[in-house]
Every structure is written in structure tokens, then in C-alpha cells.
Amino acid sequence: MDILVIGAGGREHAICWSLAKSPKAGTIYCAPGNAGIGEVAELVPIQVNEFDKLAAFAEEKQVGLVVVGPDDPLADGIVDVFEAKHIPVFGPRKNAAHIEGSKTFMKDLLKKYNIPTAAYEKFDNYEQALQYLRSRPVPIVIKADGLAAGKGVTVAFTREEAEAALKSIMVDKVFGESGSQVVIEEFLEGQEMSILSFVDGETVRPMAAAQDHKQVYDGDQGPNTGGMGTYSPLPHIADSMIEEAIETIIKPTAKAMVAEGRPFRGVLFAGLMITPDGKPKTIEFNARFGDPETQVVLPRLKSDLLDIFLAAVNGTLDQAEIEWSEEAAVCVVLASGGYPASYPKGLPIGGLKEARAAGALVFHAGTAKNEAGELVTNGGRVLGVVGLGQSIAEARDKAYEAAECIAFEGKHQRTDIAAKALI
Ligand code: AMP
Ligand code: GLY
């Protein structure tokens, strides 16, 4: 069966790499992909927002399945476009992807169904928002309602920071229409974890849990990024806690979406905080695979990813075989100097062969080939280096050893990925 994967990041590289292991997979196309994805898939020069071109390509090639990676096309209804043409597609429709596309919708849904999350108020008026903000203690969290490339959230530790964040969202409109509403939310302390699940309506099949590192610098310092590294499993978090999160948060949310007439089919990604009282609470829901969570989760999948996607599309997800290996995985992201602010592009990258020879998986994110055919940087997050091992310590050593082999000007990585799991 030929397959079309849509997206261009490390997540999509991991998805294509995992699909390529399926004996049922024929040609894997990826639009637009990146230099590394080109090693396992045929690259198609169509952008993720060109829905009609993508649908025409899928029809022409008669692909048996389309898989959508990123949030923006999902929120804009790409799945509805494929479904209207009767092309099998894995991903949520627009009305279900709304759980990520609008934080006010998500918070109101959780409140209505009594699903644990941080207390909040929402505003579409700046003066009222400011008045409320001034009545609340810090730390406090300010969130733009809509999608903002992972940058719409400020955890403010001072009043100045909080007011500046509110102004930049609502007055300066740095995120455009995504900032026409804001959520002002209680600050939650604790350990974060990400649980991604394959979901079809009320059927929830959780994947192995993972933990991301959002801030750009060691010790969780500096601005938030899309994610600087991940690991899985989480040895310092009890299985009973993960089970509780699934039973009290993820399954009730899938059920609530069905009750609201927005059944979710695809990957539902729960960002959770385990608060000091030992209870998991929801921070966010995403309507897609996480990046770089996928890079540590899919290498641990023992079952056939294509079979799981097809089961979800055919309504038989409850019967799908989904097994996880005991192995640990650690992903270290190599970023361009300057990221998450501005950064240069087109810098030559060396040492990939050596990194792979050191036993790591290297997933490409922002890479391209230049006119001379050399591999160059082409984004903020450039590569994800994944080590696998019998323990987090072993996987981590392997990832860092391999990351050392790779060189490009300005390369930045955190040195403390998975450190929390080793204490
Ligand atoms: P989000 O884009 O919603 O994932 O938020 C980005 C990051 O901000 C999360 O991964 C958390 O680290 C942090 N964050 C979001 N909401 C809260 C909250 N209510 N309390 C503490 N930290 C939060
Ligand atoms: N790594 C977090 C995300 O994909 O949103």
C-alpha cells in the first residue's frame, strides 16, 4: 500500500521511518519532507497548506492512506478535504482538532465534563483581562487562544512579565487572530509528562509515556521552544499515576468529544502535570503526534504502525495489536544558534555517518540539501539524535555520544536531557 505523509519535521521523519518497517508499506511519499525523510520516502514538493494539490496528488497516486503530522493543517480542516474525496486519512477532522486549535474551547470542555485541569478565566477584552490579572497572585500563566507555533504560552513569575505577555498577545497582536482571546490560568507546580494515545471515538489506546524539555537552556531556563529533547519511559513516575491520568483525563476527554458531536480520530496528545498532591492535571491537549515525543515513542513500538493507523481508520482500533518494548529512548535536539529567536540557515552539517555508526538514530527536522548536494541547516530545530538502551542512563549516554559527532556552526543542545529520570 502506498502512503502519503504530510509534514516536514523530526516527527514526520520518525513516522516515515516507522512506517517503512511495515511489510505492507509500498512507496511512502512525504510532502514536503526534508533531507533525512528523503532517505526513507519519496519527497513531494507540495506544502502542508496546499490542500487541493495534496488531495489531487493522493488521488493520482491512489494512496491507501494519508497521515497528517502538523497542527496547522489539522486545525484548518485538511482531514475533511481528504474525507470528502473518500481518501483514507489518519487524523482528526477540523471540529475535533479544535481541542488544540482553541485553548478556550479545550478549557470549557474540561470544565463542563469535570476533567481535572488548572483553574482559569478567559477574556476577549484587554482591559478586563488586565484587571483580572492584577487581582491574581504570581506565578501565573497567560495563553493565547489559538495556535502560535508553540510560543503562545508565558509562565510569568513577575507581574511585569505577566502584563507584558498579555499586552503582546492582545494589544500588539504578535500572534495575530490567535490572540483575540486569552486564557489566564493558575500556575501548576510539579512533574510534567506527555501521554499520546491512538484514539478513535471512545477507544483510547495509550502509547508509552514521555517527557519533553521545553525551555531552550539547561535547568529549564530561557524561553520555551517546540521541545529540546525527550525520553521514554519515565522510571520516576509510577505506573499507577499514568493509569490514573488515562482513566481520569484521557478517556473522559475522548468520551466528551463524542458527546459534543466532535468524535476524535487520530493521535490525542495530553500534556499533564503531576501536582504535589499526587493528582494529574491537564495542561494542554494537542491533536497530533508530539515533536520530539514521537522520536522516542515510535522507536519503542514493537507493533506495525501501518496496521494501527489502518485499524483507526477502519474503526477497529480496539482490536489492534499495540506492544511496547522495554527499551529506553532518549532524544537530544540539536538546534540552530539563536533558536527560538532568529537563526541563520544554510550552514553545512557534518558527522551524521559517525553519529549513526555510534549506534544512534538521527531524525532530521530543519535540514535541506543545498545546490551542491550538501546537507545544510534549514530550521530552528535541526536534528534529533536518539539513543536506545536497557536503561535511561544507557540510552542517554548513547544519544550524547552520537550528538558529539555532529557539527554545524552555532550548534546548540541541552546537556541535561533526561537528567530528572536519573536522580
Ligand atoms: P503549552 O504550549 O500549553 O504546552 O504550554 C507550554 C508549557 O508551559 C508547558 O509545557 C508547561 O511547561 C508550561 N505551562 C503551561 N500551562 C501551565 C500551567 N498552568 N502551570 C505551569 N506551567 C504551565
Ligand atoms: N513537544 C511538544 C509538542 O509537540 O507540542
Side-chain angles (χ1 to χ4, degrees), residues 11 212 214 226-227 269 284 286 288-293 381:
R11 162 183 51 210
D212 192 8
K214 293 250 173 184
F269 165 153
E284 60 164 347
N286 296 322
R288 52 172 174 82
F289 277 104
D291 189 343
E293 284 83 349
R381 293 185 294 173

Side-chain angles (χ1 to χ4, degrees), residues 145-175:
D145 177 54
L147 296 179
K151 291 166 196 152
V153 173
T154 299
V155 179
F157 289 89
T158 65
R159 301 216 150 268
E160 293 68 39
E161 253 182 288
E163 291 189 18
L166 187 67
K167 181 168 174 287
S168 74
I169 294 171
M170 296 197 89
V171 180
D172 307 338
K173 294 212 170 285
V174 293
F175 306 117

Side-chain angles (χ1 to χ4, degrees), residues 215-218 221 225 228 332-340 380-383 408-415:
Q215 292 86 357
V216 70
Y217 302 123
D218 284 6
Q221 300 297 308
T225 68
M228 291 299 295
V332 176
V333 169
L334 310 184
S336 295
Y339 174 77
R381 293 185 294 173
V382 178
L383 297 162
F408 55 88
E409 199 185 315
K411 178 182 94 164
H412 168 69
Q413 70 194 44
R414 277 183 62 161
T415 66

Side-chain angles (χ1 to χ4, degrees), residues 4-13 16 29-34 37 43-44 46-48 54 67-70 73:
L4 171 62
V5 176
I6 295 173
R11 162 183 51 210
E12 287 76 20
H13 192 181
C16 289
Y29 299 99
C30 186
N34 61 36
I37 296 176
L43 302 184
V44 183
I46 306 177
Q47 297 307 310
V48 302
L54 290 167
V67 181
V68 185

